[in-house]
Amino acid sequence: MVKKLSDTYELNNGLKIPCVGFGTWQTPDGEVAVNAVKSAIECGYRHIDTAAVYGNEESVGKAVRAGTVSRDDIFITTKLWNDEHGYEAALKACDVSLERLGVDIIDLYLIHWPNPIKFRGSFERTNAETWQAMEELYQAGKVKAIGVSNYLPHHLESLLKTARIMPMVNQIRLFPGYTQKETVSYCREKNILIEAYSPLGTGKLLDAPELVPIAEKYSKSPARICLRWSLQMGFLPLPKSVTASRIKENADIFDFTLSPAEMDILTNMPNHGGDGMNPDEAPF
Ligand SMILES: NC(=O)c1ccc[n+]([C@@H]2O[C@H](COP(=O)([O-])OP(=O)(O)OC[C@H]3O[C@@H](n4cnc5c(N)ncnc54)[C@H](OP(=O)(O)O)[C@@H]3O)[C@@H](O)[C@H]2O)c1
């Protein structure tokens, strides 16, 4: 079991990935993003999760360069946005992200969604071409690992018909009460690491009646309980905050262990975070 933020999981290509990623969706570009990422790095986070569509890659890069921790010790993930699917477009989009981040190499590059509205109807062919570009980026050394996000088993099945390289990661929506069992077990069979996005249900879970008594028992906040559950499930959680005290709080999840009975309660509690978007119907 991991014991600190810089402890790592190993991807199927041997690359080590720090076990908690710092989320940046809805973190405004500029000072807010720079300060949030800087405080995360100061608190010990060594993995930052951004995306082209978040509009804050430049700030993430700036914060990484400004800190006292070397770039090589920080794992940066970014994602290919839906408009840029297809072979040529994906190659170009990666170059743009490298430029905006101001780095020579991206640690993990993900296809953000499997079935963008722009390519709906031809997602299988488009994904195959996009994945070919991802494989070339990997082989060319522009990215250290490649993966996907929001992929259900049927999207992966389709991708694997032509893929030469197995995705290393699938980043999906996961939190207590929302566990995507089929996708998780499919990915585990294929040795694809599961990253848990919205691990706090985008903040909607934190007063859930199942969570609060467990938080009280350990004298830990509900947010920490959610993140601890995620780690004990073997996921890689990606908590987001722009609030310095919460960034610090969310890092403090290594000095207690939830019992099997508590893990069951959290796994099986009702979904208080709302249903996510069906990737085949997402309106973007
Ligand atoms: N691949 C995808 O399609 C996808 C989709 C969604 C998210 N993600 C990734 O996953 C990350 C996390 O998901 P998320 O942004 O949906 O939300 P989240 O991490 O589940 O929750 C973030 C929300 O909870 C609040 N919060 C954080 N820590 C707290 C604490 N200790 N106590 C009380 N409130 C707290 C934050 O507020 P403040 O910021 O105001 O402090 C924010 O409103 C994203 O940032 C992104 O990197 C990926």
Side-chain angles (χ1 to χ4, degrees):
M1 188 73 201
V2 287
K3 294 194 170 59
K4 55 184 185 309
L5 289 174
S6 57
D7 281 357
T8 54
Y9 293 123
E10 190 172 313
L11 300 179
N12 64 27
N13 67 341
L15 186 70
K16 303 265 203 293
I17 180 168
C19 64
V20 175
F22 182 66
T24 63
W25 176 45
Q26 295 180 316
T27 298
D29 194 32
E31 210 179 325
V32 176
V34 172
N35 287 341
V37 174
K38 272 196 199 162
S39 33
I41 293 170
E42 276 159 26
C43 290
Y45 294 78
R46 292 293 175 267
H47 172 178
I48 316 294
D49 184 82
T50 181
V53 75
Y54 300 169
N56 56 22
E57 286 173 312
E58 267 182 47
S59 299
V60 167
K62 195 169 165 193
V64 168
R65 282 191 300 281
T68 49
V69 177
S70 137
R71 155 72 186 106
D72 294 342
D73 294 327
I74 299 189
F75 191 103
I76 302 178
T77 299
T78 193
K79 313 184 192 89
L80 175 77
W81 186 237
N82 292 1
D83 292 345
E84 315 288 352
H85 281 217
Y87 179 75
E88 292 294 342
L91 292 180
K92 272 195 210 130
C94 181
D95 282 341
V96 173
S97 281
L98 281 161
E99 174 93 29
R100 278 197 296 243
L101 286 161
V103 297
D104 300 327
I105 191 163
I106 289 165
D107 296 275
L108 174 62
Y109 198 42
L110 303 177
I111 302 180
H112 207 145
W113 289 87
N115 193 356
I117 203 156
K118 184 171 170 185
F119 304 104
R120 208 152 285 166
S122 66
F123 95 87
E124 184 158 309
R125 181 169 48 81
T126 313
N127 258 323
E129 291 167 6
T130 309
W131 191 250
Q132 195 194 337
M134 302 289 280
E135 291 175 331
E136 285 187 26
L137 291 166
Y138 176 63
Q139 278 159 342
K142 289 190 175 184
V143 304
K144 291 188 190 169
I146 49 178
V148 296
S149 176
N150 295 297
Y151 274 52
L152 300 174
H154 72 274
H155 301 118
L156 283 158
E157 279 294 299
S158 148
L159 191 81
L160 293 177
K161 287 183 194 165
T162 53
R164 288 166 298 144
I165 300 175
M166 182 66 76
M168 288 131 206
V169 164
N170 189 11
Q171 181 179 123
I172 57 174
R173 191 164 183 268
L174 287 169
F175 45 77
Y178 189 78
T179 55
Q180 303 220 43
K181 287 197 178 93
E182 256 182 61
T183 303
V184 168
S185 73
Y186 181 92
C187 288
R188 289 201 164 138
E189 264 169 40
K190 306 274 185 211
N191 200 13
I192 298 171
L193 182 80
I194 295 286
E195 292 188 349
Y197 80 63
S198 303
L200 315 176
T202 316
K204 287 191 224 124
L205 282 195
L206 304 177
D207 52 5
E210 298 79 6
L211 202 52
V212 171
I214 300 177
E216 281 167 3
K217 172 180 159 191
Y218 289 97
S219 303
K220 299 282 177 190
S221 64
R224 286 168 171 153
I225 301 294
C226 291
L227 296 172
R228 183 71 204 175
W229 171 87
S230 198
L231 284 181
Q232 286 184 221
M233 291 292 283
F235 305 149
L236 189 159
L238 302 168
K240 172 265 179 186
S241 177
V242 294
T243 314
S245 58
R246 291 171 172 174
I247 294 171
K248 188 160 185 280
E249 175 188 324
N250 296 345
D252 178 14
I253 51 174
F254 297 97
D255 64 348
F256 67 106
T257 301
L258 298 167
S259 71
E262 289 156 352
M263 288 296 289
D264 277 350
I265 292 172
L266 296 170
T267 299
N268 298 312
M269 71 189 227
N271 175 4
H272 298 289
D275 282 327
M277 199 99 66
N278 177 339
D280 291 316
E281 290 169 6
F284 40 70

